[in-house]
Amino acid sequence: MQADTDESLLKRISAGDQRALRLLMDRHMARAIRLAERVLRDSAAADDVAQEAFVRVWKHASRFDEDRAQFTTWLYRIVMNLALDRARRPGHAPLDDALDVADSAPDGEETLVRRERVRLLGSGLAALPERQRAALTLFHLEGLTGREGAAAMNVSEKSFESLLGRGRAALKAWVSASTKGRTP
Amino acid sequence: MMGKEEFRETAMIYGADLTRWPAGLRAEATPLAAEPWAVAWLAELADLEADLAAADVDAPTPDRVGRAIAGTLDRIAARPRLSLGRLVAWAVAGAGGLAASAAFGMILALHGPLAPPALDPIAFVIEAGDLALPGLGG
């Protein structure tokens, strides 16, 4: 039996079928949470954004036009809008301490240096303007193309490229400056 | 023909993996990619990208995903969306209310205030007096 496509589930959702929504969430909720957390660096806020994103899907399923975009592109855009809105709220501060990931490898000098670089990069990511962090996330971590990333952020490809370039340059500078600052 | 500076700028945008560059730019960049300066530049960016991947957040656990799904269904139950049926019901209720208001207004216009006499002490007293006077005077 052929599984329902996302787009056919959306048609059922627009007719009020909650079971179809449940199926769609089973497929994509993890992706929505992770994308939001990559942008927000805050797991509680990410959970909230992902849930709100699927409430929007439920409410506006009839507006989705499968001739214009895939469901995942639409979902990316909804999550990204909500996450960027949340990131701009006063009081929101990305967390960078969640990046101290336990490593079972022996603590050789090389491992320690690498871990420190990763920790610095995590701090640098948290310090980036949210739109640059979002662009880097979409391109490098979600694996979207420039065109797909631009569509998800609702900006032109040129603007997306600019965000990517500035974000990467800022990260590189951050790691370099931090390393020099710590090295005698 | 792509120059050294354009190669570096493009690499800052699209990263160390040339297969992820747009096709046109990749074709221009490929002859340069074996140059020692380009190899060093791409290697530096590749390190940065490896660290970026290592600094990534963990995938959510199945429990967390399940809680988010349940939470979404709760939110939907608490905030039902506008449906055609619900809009029609609201419209009918609204129209019924309007019709009742209009009918009430017409009655007011034709017959004046409909307050019950018992609630108007002055009118009640005058009425009672009118009824009593002939007997007293007779």
Side-chain angles (χ1 to χ4, degrees):
Chain A
M1 197 178 86
Q2 195 173 359
D4 287 316
T5 63
D6 293 341
E7 289 72 25
S8 67
L9 289 176
L10 272 172
K11 285 196 179 112
R12 285 168 51 192
I13 291 168
S14 66
D17 184 345
Q18 281 202 17
R19 281 196 316 165
L21 177 70
R22 176 71 204 238
L23 275 173
L24 201 65
M25 288 196 289
D26 284 343
R27 282 183 198 169
H28 297 292
M29 181 60 88
R31 178 197 297 246
I33 292 172
R34 199 172 194 195
L35 173 60
E37 191 168 356
R38 281 167 166 164
V39 174
L40 293 166
R41 316 299 293 193
D42 175 338
S43 59
D47 287 354
D48 186 45
V49 160
Q51 291 180 43
E52 193 56 34
F54 277 98
V55 171
R56 303 278 171 99
V57 168
W58 169 252
K59 284 190 170 178
H60 303 300
S62 59
R63 291 189 197 169
F64 174 73
D65 181 357
E66 65 179 301
D67 294 332
R68 292 182 57 193
Q70 287 186 317
F71 167 69
T72 46
T73 306
W74 193 50
L75 181 64
Y76 273 125
R77 184 178 287 193
I78 295 172
V79 172
M80 200 51 77
N81 279 344
L82 290 169
L84 291 174
D85 277 352
R86 174 64 69 98
R88 283 190 286 263
R89 278 189 202 170
H92 174 77
L95 307 175
D96 60 3
D97 56 354
L99 298 162
D100 292 332
V101 182
D103 188 346
S104 58
D107 281 353
E109 191 179 346
E110 197 175 320
T111 308
L112 288 174
V113 169
R114 175 87 204 286
R115 194 180 291 175
E116 177 64 3
R117 272 173 57 97
V118 170
R119 197 192 64 75
L120 283 175
L121 198 96
S123 306
L125 261 181
L128 277 184
E130 64 270 3
R131 288 164 62 78
Q132 291 177 18
R133 187 165 61 242
L136 286 170
T137 291
L138 289 169
F139 188 80
H140 284 293
L141 301 177
E142 297 288 335
L144 268 56
T145 64
R147 180 172 298 179
E148 290 165 340
M153 289 187 70
N154 201 20
V155 295
S156 69
E157 279 185 67
K158 277 282 167 213
S159 299
F160 187 74
E161 284 177 358
S162 170
L163 288 168
L164 269 182
R166 283 186 286 143
R168 194 193 309 268
L171 266 189
K172 205 164 172 295
W174 173 282
V175 172
S176 173
S178 302
T179 309
K180 279 177 191 160
R182 283 160 188 267
T183 306
Chain B
M1 176 75 187
M2 183 178 279
K4 189 173 175 178
E5 197 50 41
E6 190 184 353
F7 183 96
R8 290 165 68 104
E9 283 172 7
T10 310
M12 284 301 276
I13 295 169
Y14 289 107
D17 181 1
L18 259 63
T19 63
R20 300 207 60 205
W21 291 27
L25 290 171
R26 184 170 64 243
E28 286 187 55
T30 301
L32 297 175
E35 300 273 344
W37 58 265
V39 170
W41 184 247
L42 292 177
E44 198 177 328
L45 289 180
D47 280 350
L48 188 77
E49 286 163 21
D51 291 345
L52 187 64
D56 194 9
V57 300
D58 291 334
T61 62
D63 275 358
R64 185 176 167 196
V65 172
R67 283 195 301 275
I69 290 174
T72 307
L73 294 173
D74 286 347
R75 288 182 190 200
I76 284 168
R79 290 183 281 163
R81 69 179 171 187
L82 291 178
S83 67
L84 188 59
R86 185 165 283 120
L87 283 173
V88 168
W90 285 353
V92 167
L98 274 176
S101 299
F104 185 68
M106 285 177 67
I107 290 169
L108 280 181
L110 292 173
H111 300 285
L114 294 179
L119 295 178
D120 186 341
I122 296 172
F124 179 72
V125 167
I126 291 171
E127 226 171 75
D130 287 347
L131 289 172
L133 284 174
L136 286 173

